Amino acid sequence: MLSSALLENPLRQGLSSGRVAPPCSLVIYGASGDLTARKLVPALFELYEKHLLPVSFNLIGISRSAISDEDFRKKLKEALLQSKPQVSDAIWNSFSQNFHYHAGGYDDFKVYQALAVKLNELDEKNGTVGNRIFYLSTPPNVFEEIISNLGAAGLAKEEKGFSRVVIEKPFGHDLDSAKELNQKVREVFKENQIYRIDHYLGKETVQNFLVMRFANSIFEPIWDRRYVDHIQITASEDLGVGTRAGYYESSGILRDMFQNHLFQVMCLMAMEPPVIFEANAIRDEKLKILQAIRPFDEQTVRTNAIRGQYGPGFLAGQKVPGYRQEAGVDPQSITPTYAAIKIFLDTWRWHGVPFFLRSAKRLPKRTTEAAIQFKEPPNLLFKNNMTELSPNVLIIRIQPDEGITLKFETKVPGMSMEARTVNMDFRYGTSFAEGTSEAYERLLLDCMLGDATLFIRGDETEAAWAALMPVLNLWETTQPEGTFPNYEAGSWGPAEADEMMEKPWRKWRKL
Amino acid sequence: MSVPTAQNIESDLTGLWKIDQDSHLSQSGIRRIYTTNLVAYASDHEDGYRVEGILGDLVQYHPGRYILVRPAADTAEAPLRYYVSGRCLSWADPEKRVCCDMVKLVAQKEIIENLYGFTFSILVPDLPVEFWWPGDMPYYNSFFEHMAEQLNRVWVDSSKFKDPVQSLARLGAFWHKRYPKTNLADMNWIRIQRWQALIAELFDGEWSKYLKEIKQVTIEYGEGGTPLRSFYLACWLAAQLGWRHHQPRLSKLTDPLVFEGPNGSVEILLKPVPAPDHRADRIFAVGIVTQGEHAGIFTVVRDEDPHLVIARSEVNHQLAFSRVVTFEHLHSDDVLAIGLKHFEADPVWKKTLQMAGSILVHPDMSLEKGSKG
């Protein structure tokens, strides 16, 4: 897709780098933070290397730290060199020639006025034609303040070019705060100017859900309650809470992973085919899934939602502390670091099919995947000859080792009628020599191009919060049944999670 | 060695992997991955070695079935021999080895052109088939004809054309008429794509208005060869910007090119600059001058550091912007690897080739043996 600004350039047409961003300025709030150095600037550099970043491009970093333009660039360069040591001074200087830094408080209106002047100057000097993106990479408690000030300074207006705001997660702390934040943002920006980012949606394999489901004819006919026994979506981490204890104590695993990442993956797995491949058509279908989540009550929270917290244990042979022993964590904390939830979607397609979602810290390995387990064949033709047949499973691995695996039964060569499960594998890393792009690279480019397909709409965030609130409310107001911690670091989580599977042929996948 | 049949070749390949699976090297097994078929035909023995080396490197980018057809070095050898070998991807996880295979058919000159049917029989079914013709454009070669008629895409390398003007004119004149269903691709076109991207970048956004006022383009190339890449670049600019060539047709690529643009004539000069032999035909610099209301100078120049290129624009004698990018040399396997990533026909290349066909002298069609009409 070519942006309108580039359509006027006939030399761009037909080039393999056709999806190139239009001239623009990117303003990053919280620019001295980790995300800018570790993710955003490396992603911009990749776009630069691929000729997808426009020649007319400005980056303005804003945060409270009093550092110079030079120090800002130096810090970014050092961070980039860690992942790309081959970047020469000449390349870096060219890439960063229009990087600027402005120190100031987010509540200081003069900073916004000065920013407006600076942006106009840069438009004039570098031909960025009034296109602006404001990226909020700050703690969420200053989102409203920044947005309100941007509005007051006239920076949300789209008079000459576009004006967009990118909001990092968490989008709200609960349903009420999400609604309030949506309302505040919409007072300043229209919905089509708002890009709520969930970096999971920028991952190649997550986007491949749409291609796999809707560009092939073999999956969709069996993608429903008639053939699917259940679906498991897992996002496990081997890391503990690390230096994020402050944030984690107030959020926990549900806010950190379920409300956004896991629900989004579930939506892409479960949604109906959109009528057209366009941002709002896709988001409409995702919203229907979130609205179809059967509401939890106190009883179903107790039976269909299992929480856990890791205790001390071993990972890769090394002893690691329990959650309550981590720096900055309350020794009596009941913050869950593990959650497994059984969800039913009240739709024609998925009636009666459980979706098992789980995510946790300090599990044996880091992996994210969605697995569709199919029903057993209706006629057990081989029941007298074979001991046990495993159900067919289609696994979509999101990270690491991105790809798709189908498990199916096959006859073991020989005189007896013995079956064994084998894998049919597709791996991105082997079928395509080209590596998959970093999520932020894709999402930044999409935002510059005005493509909101991989961003979350306001009503989606509210529907996700609404579905999760009964679980959050009960968990935050009651002590866990049994004692915390209830799983060892390095194990696959609390045993109670197995009980929610109900049927003997349903088991959590050992990853 | 077994008798050359498709069945024996498949059987040998299966045996090859089975032996390896039993060895200590592959305790976790091998994955055979095919994303494409690639057939290459080397017209002489020496070129066969070069092409084989390139295919070996290309495997690392596109695992597939690679078939090399080349003539025997010794006339005393059997009419047709075959060799199978496995290629494992060095970048893949060593615990999960990803491999594919190469089949080499070595034939005597009397039969080599007729091996097309045999080649078809050893392709992996249901996968696209690419055919790479690494040498000079043939006037008639039975193998080439059958491949071009039946496979998905034919790759040529115009840098290997002995008479580039005649060959390019022929491609421009007859390819799409004779092989309407087969895509044609030229490795030299891939080689200039980074120049195209850099030139295009100079005219994004508000700078696009300068395109209408281009008066002169100078393309500097390494002397010592025919400036095919520069000529391609000139044809691409003309085709994309809608310029028309009303001058007499050219018999040499070094003649100045004069087009009719939207605001008068546009001259394109292809200028040789001293360069070592191995850099002949490489583009060293492109300068674009605009005049009138939007006057400026736009340049893309190789830096003294051969790994860098600088793109810059100057308006009213002031620097408007500049950009430095890395520019690593592309080897033949890199070029093919880039080209194989995109399977669709390239409409811009087609337009450029048509523009080249409209500029160059008419090809001598009487030489087109095979007389397909």
Side-chain angles (χ1 to χ4, degrees):
Chain A
M1 181 179 66
L2 278 170
S3 58
S4 59
L6 301 183
L7 278 173
E8 298 153 13
N9 179 359
L11 297 181
R12 279 283 187 193
Q13 289 165 23
L15 293 186
S16 55
S17 56
R19 224 171 161 272
V20 63
C24 63
S25 297
L26 174 65
V27 180
I28 302 176
Y29 283 90
S32 60
D34 219 24
L35 186 77
T36 306
R38 276 196 317 112
K39 295 288 183 189
L40 300 183
V41 168
L44 290 169
F45 186 76
E46 287 296 326
L47 294 175
Y48 174 87
E49 288 262 280
K50 292 173 184 167
H51 302 279
L52 300 177
L53 197 65
V55 180
S56 300
F57 174 78
N58 309 307
L59 186 152
I60 301 173
I62 297 181
S63 66
R64 294 191 177 109
S65 313
I67 54 172
S68 65
D69 274 12
E70 207 48 50
D71 288 342
F72 177 60
R73 287 191 203 116
K74 194 175 160 199
K75 184 185 167 189
L76 298 180
K77 183 181 177 187
E78 283 166 3
L80 181 69
L81 287 176
Q82 291 198 348
S83 57
K84 289 208 157 252
Q86 73 279 18
V87 174
S88 66
D89 285 349
I91 296 284
W92 169 261
N93 291 339
S94 170
F95 168 60
S96 65
Q97 62 186 317
N98 292 323
F99 285 15
H100 307 271
Y101 181 79
H102 196 101
Y106 304 129
D107 57 347
D108 184 353
F109 187 61
K110 285 182 193 152
V111 173
Y112 297 83
Q113 289 173 311
L115 175 66
V117 172
K118 179 83 174 171
L119 285 169
N120 286 335
E121 279 173 17
L122 291 172
D123 283 344
E124 194 65 32
K125 183 176 163 228
N126 296 336
T128 34
V129 295
N131 290 333
R132 288 99 190 249
I133 295 171
F134 302 97
Y135 197 117
L136 309 195
S137 173
T138 59
N141 60 343
V142 293
F143 285 172
E144 288 182 24
E145 197 164 45
I146 295 171
I147 286 162
S148 158
N149 278 319
L150 285 172
L155 288 165
K157 288 182 192 156
E158 296 191 299
E159 284 166 348
K160 284 194 288 177
F162 62 71
S163 175
R164 296 173 187 147
V165 62
V166 182
I167 304 175
E168 268 287 340
K169 75 158 196 170
F171 196 87
H173 188 71
D174 52 23
L175 178 59
D176 289 342
S177 59
K179 279 182 173 171
E180 193 182 329
L181 181 56
N182 266 335
Q183 190 189 333
K184 294 281 183 195
V185 181
R186 287 178 190 140
E187 282 170 10
V188 177
F189 291 94
K190 294 192 285 283
E191 182 62 39
N192 65 4
Q193 295 176 274
I194 307 166
Y195 290 71
R196 297 171 192 82
I197 204 163
D198 180 341
H199 72 270
Y200 257 53
L201 293 182
K203 290 179 185 290
E204 199 72 57
T205 32
V206 174
Q207 295 163 50
N208 192 37
F209 279 19
L210 296 175
V211 176
M212 196 196 82
R213 286 191 58 197
F214 305 130
N216 295 294
S217 59
I218 58 169
F219 297 117
E220 210 48 26
I222 55 169
W223 208 264
D224 63 21
R225 65 190 152 77
R226 290 174 300 166
Y227 295 95
V228 175
D229 180 77
H230 73 274
I231 290 178
Q232 290 186 29
I233 300 171
T234 301
S236 67
E237 286 185 57
D238 53 351
L239 295 175
V241 72
T243 55
R244 297 170 69 218
Y247 160 73
Y248 208 80
E249 272 287 87
S250 65
S251 65
I253 193 78
L254 286 181
R255 289 190 177 87
D256 195 38
M257 295 297 292
F258 281 69
Q259 186 273 337
N260 34 61
H261 307 325
L262 293 197
F263 275 14
Q264 283 295 320
V265 172
M266 181 178 73
C267 287
L268 293 170
M269 294 286 288
M271 67 190 248
E272 294 298 320
V275 179
I276 48 170
F277 192 78
E278 187 266 327
N280 274 332
I282 292 170
R283 299 194 292 185
D284 286 346
E285 297 303 334
K286 287 197 294 167
L287 177 65
K288 287 178 198 166
I289 294 298
L290 292 166
Q291 289 170 333
I293 295 175
R294 187 178 299 166
F296 285 92
D297 57 26
E298 193 173 327
Q299 180 54 32
T300 51
V301 172
R302 290 190 194 283
T303 55
N304 292 356
I306 303 297
R307 56 179 150 165
Q309 189 187 76
Y310 64 86
F314 289 88
L315 267 152
Q318 300 293 313
K319 191 164 174 36
V320 293
Y323 179 70
R324 289 177 177 179
Q325 287 81 52
E326 302 269 19
V329 172
D330 178 353
Q332 301 302 318
S333 172
I334 58 165
T335 301
T337 62
Y338 176 102
I341 298 183
K342 178 160 64 176
I343 287 173
F344 287 98
L345 300 177
D346 286 330
T347 67
W348 185 283
R349 184 191 283 260
W350 295 115
H351 181 75
V353 178
F355 283 68
F356 296 99
L357 276 55
R358 73 174 156 167
S359 181
K361 291 199 166 293
R362 286 287 191 224
L363 294 189
K365 67 196 276 196
R366 174 177 172 263
T367 188
T368 305
E369 63 154 51
I372 300 114
Q373 182 165 319
F374 292 93
K375 291 181 175 170
E376 291 186 326
N379 178 6
L380 289 173
L381 182 66
F382 304 105
K383 64 184 172 187
N384 294 330
N385 304 77
M386 296 178 186
T387 50
E388 194 179 336
L389 293 175
S390 301
N392 298 134
V393 186
L394 182 70
I395 302 140
I396 303 167
R397 290 182 306 279
I398 297 169
Q399 65 182 14
D401 197 17
E402 299 96 327
I404 298 170
T405 296
L406 177 65
K407 296 173 91 73
F408 62 98
E409 297 297 289
T410 190
K411 182 182 173 301
V412 178
M415 297 303 125
S416 63
M417 206 56 169
E418 192 186 337
R420 190 175 298 166
T421 306
V422 292
N423 288 355
M424 198 150 67
D425 263 343
F426 154 73
R427 285 156 197 271
Y428 266 93
T430 54
S431 292
F432 302 103
E434 193 175 14
T436 52
S437 301
E438 276 289 313
Y440 278 99
E441 189 184 329
R442 170 65 192 252
L443 294 171
L444 280 169
L445 180 63
D446 279 4
C447 179
M448 291 177 198
L449 287 164
D451 181 354
T453 306
L454 301 176
F455 293 83
I456 300 169
R457 209 168 52 192
D459 48 7
E460 283 182 82
T461 59
E462 291 180 19
W465 279 119
L468 209 53
M469 285 319 295
V471 186
L472 276 169
N473 286 338
L474 192 71
W475 282 8
E476 288 178 353
T477 54
T478 59
Q479 286 291 320
E481 287 163 14
T483 53
F484 265 13
N486 59 351
Y487 72 99
E488 244 183 64
S491 73
W492 278 107
E496 296 91 312
D498 296 334
E499 289 163 19
M500 70 156 51
M501 306 301 273
E502 271 180 311
K503 313 279 188 198
W505 61 84
R506 288 181 188 154
K507 293 187 175 96
W508 285 112
R509 285 171 40 73
K510 294 280 186 278
L511 307 173
Chain B
M1 187 190 298
S2 312
V3 178
T5 64
Q7 197 179 350
N8 283 340
I9 288 177
E10 291 299 344
S11 169
D12 284 2
L13 283 168
T14 304
L16 180 81
W17 297 117
K18 189 165 169 43
I19 290 164
D20 203 44
Q21 269 189 314
D22 293 341
S23 79
H24 69 283
L25 290 171
S26 58
Q27 289 168 8
S28 18
I30 283 175
R31 287 160 208 277
R32 289 167 73 178
I33 303 275
Y34 304 105
T35 57
T36 190
N37 289 289
L38 193 144
V39 179
Y41 182 102
S43 48
D44 63 60
H45 178 64
E46 287 73 26
D47 206 34
Y49 285 115
R50 179 182 75 89
V51 172
E52 190 175 345
I54 293 168
L55 293 181
D57 293 333
L58 187 60
V59 165
Q60 300 297 326
Y61 301 99
H62 297 280
R65 172 153 297 173
Y66 286 66
I67 300 168
L68 169 62
V69 181
R70 70 167 179 80
D74 184 350
T75 52
E77 289 173 357
L80 174 63
R81 290 171 298 143
Y82 73 88
Y83 303 88
V84 297
S85 56
R87 306 285 160 133
C88 292
L89 277 56
S90 59
W91 45 264
D93 183 349
E95 293 291 313
K96 300 164 188 163
R97 297 176 70 204
V98 177
C99 304
C100 52
D101 41 57
M102 184 186 286
V103 180
K104 195 161 57 174
L105 302 177
V106 182
Q108 294 296 346
K109 285 196 171 162
E110 299 76 42
I111 67 162
I112 192 166
E113 282 194 35
N114 299 323
L115 283 178
Y116 49 86
F118 190 71
T119 305
F120 291 146
S121 73
I122 55 174
L123 296 171
V124 178
D126 297 327
L127 283 181
V129 189
E130 309 266 359
F131 175 51
W132 176 30
W133 182 269
D136 189 20
M137 268 293 291
Y139 274 98
Y140 186 79
N141 176 294
S142 183
F143 194 91
F144 184 95
E145 290 294 319
H146 283 85
M147 292 288 150
E149 278 168 5
Q150 298 195 37
L151 304 189
N152 300 93
R153 179 162 56 182
V154 174
W155 283 91
V156 295
D157 186 352
S158 56
S159 69
K160 305 289 178 194
F161 291 169
K162 287 181 180 149
D163 183 349
V165 174
Q166 183 67 206
S167 295
L168 212 56
R170 286 174 61 215
L171 287 178
F174 79 72
W175 185 272
H176 293 289
K177 284 181 201 151
R178 189 180 283 183
Y179 312 112
K181 291 180 185 166
T182 308
N183 291 333
L184 173 70
D186 183 355
M187 290 167 69
N188 249 351
W189 176 251
I190 305 291
R191 290 186 184 104
I192 66 164
Q193 283 182 348
R194 293 180 300 174
W195 287 92
Q196 293 171 329
L198 283 163
I199 294 167
E201 274 178 9
L202 293 173
F203 296 98
D204 278 341
E206 64 169 328
W207 303 102
S208 63
K209 58 191 173 214
Y210 286 74
L211 285 169
K212 289 192 176 141
E213 311 219 29
I214 292 178
K215 295 306 287 181
Q216 191 182 58
V217 179
T218 307
I219 305 172
E220 293 182 356
Y221 65 94
E223 67 182 359
T226 310
L228 255 178
R229 295 181 209 179
S230 311
F231 180 70
Y232 263 159
L233 203 61
C235 291
W236 166 71
L237 279 170
Q240 292 300 94
L241 298 176
W243 300 342
R244 302 210 170 273
H245 185 259
H246 297 305
Q247 304 291 315
R249 286 172 173 268
L250 303 183
S251 56
K252 288 200 310 250
L253 298 186
T254 45
D255 293 342
L257 291 155
V258 182
F259 295 90
E260 199 55 41
N263 288 318
S265 66
V266 182
E267 187 182 37
I268 302 187
L269 301 170
L270 310 189
K271 187 177 158 193
V273 293
D277 281 352
H278 69 280
R279 293 188 171 187
D281 188 26
R282 275 193 209 171
I283 297 172
F284 279 80
V286 177
I288 297 175
V289 178
T290 64
Q291 287 175 1
E293 191 186 345
H294 299 108
I297 299 171
F298 301 79
T299 55
V300 183
V301 182
R302 279 186 195 269
D303 189 45
E304 285 173 8
D305 177 345
H307 304 296
L308 297 179
V309 163
I310 303 163
R312 69 202 301 270
S313 66
E314 217 175 273
V315 176
N316 298 328
H317 305 291
Q318 285 194 325
L319 179 68
F321 57 76
S322 71
R323 165 176 280 203
V324 184
V325 294
T326 46
F327 217 75
E328 297 298 337
H329 175 64
L330 297 178
H331 298 279
S332 293
D333 58 301
D334 301 319
V335 172
L336 277 171
I338 293 168
L340 294 177
K341 276 202 291 193
H342 303 285
F343 195 65
E344 306 79 28
D346 181 346
V348 180
W349 148 246
K350 193 174 169 183
K351 252 169 79 178
T352 303
L353 194 61
Q354 281 167 350
M355 175 60 76
S358 73
I359 294 170
L360 297 172
V361 286
H362 290 295
D364 184 352
M365 297 305 279
S366 67
L367 295 171
E368 299 294 329
K369 203 186 151 202
S371 299
K372 296 261 171 183

